[in-house]
Amino acid sequence: MDFIQNFLQHSITFFAIMDPIGVSAIALSLLSENITKTQISTIAKKSSLTIVIAFFVVLITGDLVLKIFSISENSLKVMGGIILIMTAITMVNGSSKEKTPSDSKMDEEKAIIPIGIPIAFGTGLFTTIIIFKSQAENFTDIISIALAFSINALIFYFVLKNSIYIKKYLGAMGQSIITKLMGLVVGAIAIQFIVSGVVHLAKSYL
């Protein structure tokens, strides 16, 4: 029961922060307008593989980062929460990602940077993974985190692969509404991180 509860929490959090539909809209704005189905499929594969590799690198080295800089879990919660709030405000107000001119020859090169990192896998995901890892009590919790992210990476792949059809179906307004709703969820998660971190830090100093 605990595993299912943790898994659902991890999955919902990753989905809200990653916002695959919003990211797909940004990705399309960076790619050429006449991009083919084959090209977008290749880009989706490369971008998804990029965020999966980045996830496992952060998951494995997260504890090392905390130890090297002598950062406590609760301090990271507060700072991570602040970063997530900034992300949430950006999502609610509209993406501030810079749009650059597209070139069909350079489309596939954009799969890793900037679509994979930092658009799909940004600072919000980075800090959230480290926080989840620091909260893990056993190996089962680590499995839950990895499985939750892997499923979200798969969702991201399918959404980006079919982003052309999703854009036609939802339209710009539909994508914007979903991103804003996800922004509210991310903001709520951020507040939980901050409050939890502040409470535990206060207790440690009293």
Side-chain angles (χ1 to χ4, degrees):
M1 186 63 69
D2 287 340
F3 176 82
I4 296 176
Q5 184 177 352
N6 289 336
F7 170 73
L8 290 175
Q9 179 188 358
H10 296 150
S11 298
I12 293 171
T13 302
F14 285 143
F15 182 82
I17 297 172
M18 192 181 295
D19 183 23
I21 294 178
V23 168
S24 68
I26 297 172
L28 282 179
S29 72
L30 296 174
L31 302 173
S32 57
E33 295 182 1
N34 59 343
I35 190 168
T36 64
K37 297 176 184 177
T38 303
Q39 285 178 314
I40 196 70
S41 179
T42 301
I43 291 169
K45 289 179 183 178
K46 289 184 178 181
S47 297
S48 300
L49 183 60
T50 297
I51 65 174
V52 168
I53 292 173
F55 164 77
F56 281 105
V57 168
V58 174
L59 186 69
I60 294 170
T61 63
D63 292 340
L64 182 61
V65 172
L66 294 178
K67 290 177 181 177
I68 290 176
F69 295 100
S70 299
I71 302 172
S72 72
E73 169 196 336
N74 296 310
S75 297
L76 185 65
K77 272 187 179 181
V78 175
M79 190 60 211
I82 293 173
I83 291 173
L84 286 180
I85 281 183
M86 294 171 64
T87 301
I89 292 173
T90 299
M91 292 170 73
V92 171
N93 290 336
S95 175
S96 62
K97 301 292 184 182
E98 183 180 353
K99 296 183 179 181
T100 56
S102 296
D103 182 359
S104 57
K105 294 181 180 180
M106 297 177 62
D107 282 342
E108 291 188 15
E109 296 178 6
K110 296 174 184 176
I112 298 175
I113 297 174
I115 295 174
I117 300 172
I119 294 176
F121 195 100
T123 53
L125 271 180
F126 179 86
T127 53
T128 301
I129 293 166
I130 295 180
I131 290 171
F132 280 163
K133 172 71 181 297
S134 64
Q135 292 176 333
E137 297 179 355
N138 48 51
F139 187 69
T140 304
D141 291 339
I142 300 297
I143 294 297
S144 171
I145 297 169
L147 184 60
F149 189 89
S150 297
I151 289 175
N152 273 281
L154 189 62
I155 293 173
F156 171 75
Y157 165 72
F158 282 112
V159 170
L160 185 56
K161 181 181 179 181
N162 298 287
S163 55
I164 297 175
Y165 306 107
I166 293 174
K167 184 177 182 180
K168 290 180 180 178
Y169 182 75
L170 292 178
M173 183 174 290
Q175 290 176 316
S176 176
I177 290 173
I178 291 175
T179 296
K180 290 178 188 296
L181 289 174
M182 289 299 101
L184 294 175
V185 175
V186 172
I189 293 169
I191 291 173
Q192 287 183 333
F193 280 165
I194 293 173
V195 171
S196 175
V198 169
V199 169
H200 285 88
L201 284 172
K203 287 181 179 179
S204 65
Y205 285 104
L206 292 178

